[in-house]
């Protein structure tokens, strides 16, 4: 089945890219190690001088494999320029969807343009290393903002919505004030003894104390899962604005989130060059 843009469903594209990337990386590593070992052994006459004269085909195969890896790496490095048009098209589609979301929030709620942020996240990688990659965000003001945070299922409001597969809203301003007033020791106390080596494990919203401090300027946050064809969970869309939880969970906001999520699905999966550059 194809999307209206003539592409395979988004969940199929993401799964294919993840699986292919892992398999290719493993294949390149194995071929490089085997080819290099064969050529080095022949130069050092290992295991003995009479071993390699009758096995020159292995050396030729190793040379061909190394040449292939060099060419493949050159193609990978030049991929961003080759796919520049696709990257621009994808970014424009995502930006249009998010712009429409910001416009709808401003039209339907008593907030200023500069107080609204809309972001889209897509799941990337395989469990337990799955991440939620920000594929686009719109905000007219400089704050609130976090510097390249790494999200995963269960971390932050977006991670909670993804893990629970249901919309999740939070009055983050009140939440931050309570948590910050309680202090660092209380925050860290939420982690069990076996989770202490891992700062995000066991903490509320999976945030370390330092990450919590970076969220001081956020007011209200709501996240809604993105479901592709077949009902497969592929990501989340997030809106942050100075609104109450009642407004964030109301029908009007849920309609906006649903429209943005649908537009993100129709935009397809990010081009490989975009993923290589952004991640």
């Amino acid at each position: 089945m194809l999307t209206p843009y003539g592409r395979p469903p988004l969940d199929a594209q993401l799964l294919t890219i993840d699986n292919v990337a892992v398999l290719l990386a493993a294949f390149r590593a194995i071929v490089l190690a085997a080819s290099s070992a064969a050529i080095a052994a022949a130069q050092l006459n290992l295991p003995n001088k009479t071993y390699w004269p009758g096995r020159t085909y292995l050396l030729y195969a190793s040379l061909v494999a190394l040449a292939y890896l060099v060419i493949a790496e050159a193609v990978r490095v030049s991929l961003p320029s080759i796919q520049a048009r696709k990257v621009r098209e994808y970014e424009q589609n995502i930006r249009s969807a998010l712009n429409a979301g910001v416009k709808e929030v401003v039209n339907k709620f008593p907030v200023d343009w500069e107080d609204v942020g809309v972001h889209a996240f897509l799941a990337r990688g395989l469990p337990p290393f799955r991440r939620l990659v920000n594929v686009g965000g719109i905000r007219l003001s400089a704050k609130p903002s976090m510097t390249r945070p790494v999200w995963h299922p269960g971390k932050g409001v977006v991670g909670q919505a993804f893990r629970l597969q249901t919309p999740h809203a939070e009055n983050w301003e009140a939440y931050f004030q309570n948590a910050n007033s309680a202090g660092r020791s209380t925050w860290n106390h939420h982690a069990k003894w076996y989770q202490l080596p891992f700062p995000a494990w066991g903490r509320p919203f999976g945030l370390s104390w330092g990450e919590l401090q970076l969220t001081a300027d956020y007011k209200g946050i709501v996240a809604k899962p993105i479901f592709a064809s077949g009902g497969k969970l592929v990501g989340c869309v997030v809106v942050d604005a100075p609104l109450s939880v009642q407004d964030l969970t109301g029908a009007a906001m849920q309609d906006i989130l649903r429209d943005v999520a649908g537009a993100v699905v129709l935009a397809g999966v990010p081009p490989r060059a975009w993923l290589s550059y952004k991640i």
Side-chain angles (χ1 to χ4, degrees), residues 19-267:
N19 290 343
V20 170
V22 172
L23 292 176
L24 285 179
F27 174 74
R28 287 195 298 265
I30 294 172
V31 171
L32 178 62
S35 301
S36 301
I39 294 176
Q43 290 177 333
L44 297 174
N45 293 321
L46 296 175
N48 53 61
K49 293 183 178 180
T50 62
Y51 182 82
W52 290 105
R55 296 178 173 83
T56 54
Y57 62 90
L58 290 177
L59 297 179
Y60 285 118
S62 298
L63 289 173
V64 170
L66 289 176
Y68 161 78
L69 290 176
V70 171
I71 296 173
E73 181 64 15
V75 171
R76 188 188 69 82
V77 171
S78 61
L79 191 61
S81 59
I82 295 174
Q83 290 194 330
R85 183 185 61 81
K86 291 184 178 180
V87 169
R88 287 195 300 270
E89 178 185 354
Y90 178 80
E91 290 182 339
Q92 289 172 358
N93 289 338
I94 292 295
R95 183 168 291 273
S96 296
L98 300 180
N99 276 332
V102 172
K103 180 180 178 180
E104 287 298 307
V105 172
V106 173
N107 287 341
K108 295 183 178 180
F109 297 95
V111 293
D112 294 330
W113 289 88
E114 294 184 351
D115 294 332
V116 179
V118 180
H119 299 266
F121 297 82
L122 292 180
R124 175 95 168 136
L126 301 174
F129 307 106
R130 178 163 291 168
R131 295 162 294 157
L132 295 172
V133 178
N134 189 331
V135 297
I138 296 294
R139 184 187 303 282
L140 297 182
S141 61
K143 293 183 178 182
S145 177
M146 296 181 68
T147 304
R148 299 182 66 83
V150 178
W151 302 111
H152 54 73
K155 183 177 181 180
V157 176
V158 59
Q160 289 283 7
F162 185 90
R163 182 177 65 85
L164 299 174
Q165 299 188 27
T166 185
H168 186 85
E170 194 75 31
N171 181 347
W172 197 262
E173 182 178 28
Y175 181 87
F176 173 83
Q177 290 176 354
N178 291 334
N180 194 54
S181 298
R184 179 178 179 179
S185 298
T186 301
W187 182 266
N188 292 338
H189 182 69
H190 286 284
K192 306 298 182 182
W193 66 268
Y194 56 84
Q195 296 172 324
L196 291 176
F198 307 94
W201 291 15
R203 310 284 172 74
F205 289 101
L207 299 174
S208 68
W209 176 256
E211 289 173 322
L212 175 68
Q213 300 308 303
L214 297 176
T215 67
D217 295 319
Y218 285 89
K219 306 300 182 183
I221 307 174
V222 60
K224 184 179 181 66
I226 300 175
F227 294 99
S229 60
K232 184 175 180 60
L233 178 65
V234 297
C236 279
V237 291
V238 182
V239 169
D240 67 86
L243 295 171
S244 66
V245 171
Q246 182 178 359
D247 288 332
L248 294 173
T249 56
M253 181 62 75
Q254 294 304 309
D255 287 343
I256 295 172
L257 292 169
R258 189 179 302 107
D259 291 342
V260 174
V264 172
V265 171
L266 291 178

